[in-house]
Amino acid sequence: MAKKPVVMGTLAEVLPETPRVSTFVVRLPEEAEFSFVSGQFAMLSLPDFLNDKGRPVRRAYSIASSPHDLARKTLSFTITRKGEGGLFSNRIHEARAGDPVSVEGPYGSSFVLDPQDPRPHLFIAAGSGIAPLRSMIRTLLSKEAPPPIELLYGFRGEEDFIYAQELTGYEKSVPNFSLKTAHSRPSSHWTGLSGRVPELLPRLYPSYKGQVVYMCGHPEMVTQTVEWLGTAGFPEEAVRKEQW
Ligand SMILES: Cc1cc2nc3c(=O)[nH]c(=O)nc-3n(C[C@H](O)[C@H](O)[C@H](O)COP(=O)(O)OP(=O)(O)OC[C@H]3O[C@@H](n4cnc5c(N)ncnc54)[C@H](O)[C@@H]3O)c2cc1C
C-alpha cells in the first residue's frame, strides 16, 4: 500500500470501555489536513516506542470516530489490550494524555460506508470489531433521514460491552435503530441472546430482506457469518467485511 501522510497528534483522552479495551482520543494539530471515510483505518505509532531496527512500531487501527468529529480536530481509536505478547496494544494502554501519537493514513478502500445507500443497514460486530461500525453508525445518524439501522453485537459478557452507553442510548432515542447484544459467556442472570454471533444468524436472519451488511470481527466470525449470509440468499454485493 502506498504510504500516506503522517500527522503528529497528541493523546487528548483515554476513555476506559471495558477491563481490556480503551478508546484513545487523538487531537490533531489545527493546521493538519486529515480526512477519511467511515470504515477506514490508520497506522498508529508512538515516537518513543521503537522496534529492534530503531523504527517506530506501527499497527493498524480502525478509526472509531466519524468524519464529523474532525470538526473538533479529533480521531478516536478503540484498542484491545492483547495481554501477553501484544506489543503495541499493551504499550499504548500505558500512554497518558499529552503523549505524542503519530497517525498515518487513512488507509482502506473496500470496507467503507456508502452514506447515500438508502437500504436498511445491518451491522454485525464481535468484540472490538465494533470500532469501524461505530464510525459508520455515527455518520448515518448525522444524516437528516438515516436509513433503518440494526446492530447485532456479540461480546463475552456484560462487562465487555464497548460503547455501552452510546449504543443503548441510540436504542432508546433513535426511532429506526435496533440493537441486539449477544453474550458468548453469559452470566446466570443474563436473559438476552446467548452464543457466538454465527450461531445466532440462522434464527435472526433466515432470509435476505434487502439490507446492506457491514461486519467486523475476528476472522472465524467473519468467515462463518459470510457463509451463512450466502446460504440465506444475501447477494455478495450487499455484504461488506473487515477482519483482524
Ligand atoms: C485494518 C485493521 C484494523 C484494525 N483495527 C483494530 C481496532 O480498531 N482495534 C484493535 O484493538 N485492533 C485492531 N486491529 C489489530 C491491530 O492492528 C493489532 O494487530 C493488535 O492491536 C495487536 O497488536 P500488538 O502489537 O499488540 O500485538 P503483536 O505484538 O503484533 O502480536 C499479535 C498477536 O500475536 C500474539 N503474540 C505475539 N508474540 C507472540 C509469541 N511470541 N507467542 C505467541 N503469541 C504471540 C499476541 O498476543 C497478539 O495476540 C486492526 C488490524 C487491522 C489489519
Side-chain angles (χ1 to χ4, degrees):
M1 67 191 171
K3 203 165 185 301
K4 293 284 180 84
V6 180
V7 177
M8 189 56 76
T10 306
L11 189 57
E13 254 183 306
V14 181
L15 308 169
E17 301 282 358
T18 78
R20 293 195 314 136
V21 180
S22 292
T23 293
F24 297 82
V25 182
V26 177
R27 186 173 305 286
L28 304 179
E30 276 309 316
E31 67 280 7
E33 283 179 25
F34 191 98
S35 62
F36 71 99
V37 181
S38 287
Q40 287 190 299
F41 66 94
M43 301 299 298
L44 298 189
S45 57
L46 301 165
D48 63 347
F49 187 51
L50 308 178
N51 62 21
D52 50 13
K53 295 194 181 79
R55 299 204 191 99
V57 174
R58 298 155 73 241
R59 292 290 184 269
Y61 293 101
S62 296
I63 303 172
S65 46
S66 84
H68 293 86
D69 298 319
L70 275 175
R72 294 194 300 272
K73 280 285 170 194
T74 59
L75 291 171
S76 296
F77 301 91
T78 297
I79 301 179
T80 303
R81 184 198 279 269
K82 283 285 177 192
E84 219 170 299
L87 207 58
F88 188 85
S89 64
N90 286 341
R91 176 61 181 78
I92 196 162
H93 275 85
E94 307 305 323
R96 297 285 168 263
D99 287 357
V101 179
S102 160
V103 179
E104 178 191 315
Y107 289 104
S109 54
S110 55
F111 187 68
V112 289
L113 179 73
D114 171 6
Q116 306 312 327
D117 193 332
R119 290 179 283 186
H121 282 54
L122 171 58
F123 293 102
I124 305 179
S128 57
I130 189 68
L133 305 192
R134 187 249 207 156
S135 173
M136 293 179 179
I137 290 168
R138 281 190 166 197
T139 297
L140 290 176
L141 294 184
S142 67
K143 285 170 61 108
E144 215 166 284
I149 298 172
E150 180 168 341
L151 168 62
L152 170 62
Y153 182 23
F155 45 89
R156 273 190 283 199
E158 224 155 328
E159 66 172 18
D160 302 299
F161 189 175
I162 300 171
Y163 313 135
Q165 220 181 339
E166 179 173 333
L167 297 175
T168 51
Y170 295 152
E171 165 81 343
K172 286 186 195 123
S173 64
V174 178
N176 270 332
F177 184 94
S178 144
L179 171 67
K180 291 184 169 70
T181 53
H183 292 187
S184 58
R185 293 186 205 166
S187 67
S188 53
H189 61 264
W190 172 246
T191 55
L193 293 169
S194 296
R196 293 162 48 254
V197 164
E199 295 162 1
L200 302 167
L201 299 173
R203 183 158 65 83
L204 296 176
Y205 309 106
S207 61
Y208 183 55
K209 297 274 189 326
Q211 308 97 319
V212 59
V213 182
Y214 292 88
M215 75 181 80
C216 185
H218 52 86
E220 191 191 354
M221 170 267 188
V222 169
T223 303
Q224 293 177 358
T225 299
V226 168
E227 239 170 64
W228 171 256
L229 295 180
T231 305
F234 284 64
E236 237 173 78
E237 157 283 320
V239 177
R240 325 254 158 96
K241 58 184 198 296
E242 178 76 284
Q243 62 187 43
W244 61 73

